[in-house]
Amino acid sequence: MKLALFDLDHTLLPIDSDYSWGVYTTDIGWTDNDHFRHRNDEFYAHYQAGTLDIHDYVRFSTEATRLRGPQVAAQAHADFMATRVGPNITPQALDLIRSHQGEQVIIVTATNEFITRPIASALGVSELIAVELERDASGWITGDIKGTPSFREGKVSRVKQWLAERDLAWDEVEVTFYSDSINDLALLEKATHPVATNPDPGLRTLATERGWRILDLFT
């Protein structure tokens, strides 16, 4: 079996959907503008530096959504898709996904499932490995992470879990993985065909040193 794995933010999208959702919720008045943007920027800087505490970030980033409840949150997300995400779904990204027709395509992202499942659907990808969220008795999110977060080395664990659920082992699949981020080094190193896609400076340098393919999708 051939797997085509894609990171999402800055790989298939020229934006960070998690960060953009935070900005969007501030823009519609769910959070205090100055406080939220300051904290959101701090977390984003930690992500870029490879020092993010994913549990702290998810609690922070889902709080406003959780407090609004599922119906209001779903309505807001639909508008977010129309106004913020839709305009950033590019022909280049769709063509890249289509180039793997006949393979098992999976989006593997450190952004949570609430934000990313509709994005995956809009990209025509049915299989999504994202940060899963704990749910309360009513089925609504609690702010905590369920299981292993698909972040850094956790992406390898979650892909292995996906394979095991289908009675497959890593040595039985040929894996192509596209990512922009040095945070995804563990999965890039595990892939048969690592592709540094719109890479950050650290990943671009490493990919050049190792002779990995470099794809600048949005230029």
Side-chain angles (χ1 to χ4, degrees):
M1 176 185 285
K2 291 186 176 182
L3 301 185
L5 309 181
F6 294 90
D7 182 41
L8 180 62
D9 301 318
H10 296 298
T11 299
L12 289 176
L13 295 177
I15 61 170
D16 184 291
S17 60
D18 210 350
Y19 182 87
S20 296
W21 172 251
V23 172
Y24 173 82
T25 58
T26 293
D27 289 345
I28 62 174
W30 284 11
T31 56
D32 174 75
N33 181 69
D34 291 339
H35 175 72
F36 187 88
R37 285 180 188 268
H38 176 70
R39 292 288 287 142
N40 207 26
D41 287 345
E42 281 186 336
F43 279 116
Y44 189 54
H46 280 296
Y47 172 76
Q48 291 180 310
T51 58
L52 179 69
D53 184 319
I54 189 70
H55 294 273
D56 283 348
Y57 176 67
V58 167
R59 278 189 289 270
F60 162 77
S61 65
T62 59
E63 182 179 17
T65 305
R66 178 179 59 81
L67 293 174
R68 290 308 182 283
Q71 290 186 322
V72 172
Q75 291 169 355
H77 197 288
D79 183 64
F80 171 72
M81 288 293 299
T83 60
R84 308 292 172 98
V85 176
N88 284 293
I89 293 178
T90 66
Q92 302 98 300
L94 295 173
D95 287 345
L96 180 60
I97 293 168
R98 292 189 194 106
S99 74
H100 288 277
Q101 186 174 4
E103 302 176 28
Q104 177 63 67
V105 175
I106 310 173
I107 289 174
V108 187
T109 176
T111 301
N112 73 71
E113 59 178 311
F114 172 80
I115 294 172
T116 56
R117 196 164 297 282
I119 300 174
S121 296
L123 290 166
V125 178
S126 59
E127 290 292 326
L128 172 69
I129 296 174
V131 170
E132 296 184 5
L133 300 172
E134 286 282 3
R135 308 272 170 162
D136 60 22
S138 72
W140 188 229
I141 61 175
T142 67
D144 291 324
I145 293 172
K146 178 182 178 182
T148 301
S150 46
F151 177 61
R152 296 178 64 89
E153 294 79 4
K155 285 194 174 184
V156 176
S157 300
R158 291 288 303 282
V159 173
K160 286 181 177 179
Q161 178 184 339
W162 187 94
L163 291 168
E165 289 168 354
R166 290 154 181 81
D167 296 320
L168 292 168
W170 198 278
D171 59 6
E172 296 177 287
V173 294
E174 181 179 339
V175 177
T176 302
F177 178 44
Y178 297 85
S179 176
D180 72 291
S181 177
I182 196 69
N183 282 295
D184 288 338
L185 181 59
L187 186 51
L188 285 162
E189 289 181 327
K190 192 74 173 171
T192 317
H193 309 290
V195 185
T197 309
N198 318 309
D200 61 31
L203 180 56
R204 187 177 293 274
T205 298
L206 185 67
T208 301
E209 291 172 352
R210 297 191 180 185
W212 291 351
R213 181 185 171 198
I214 297 174
L215 174 63
D216 290 302
L217 192 63
F218 302 123
T219 58

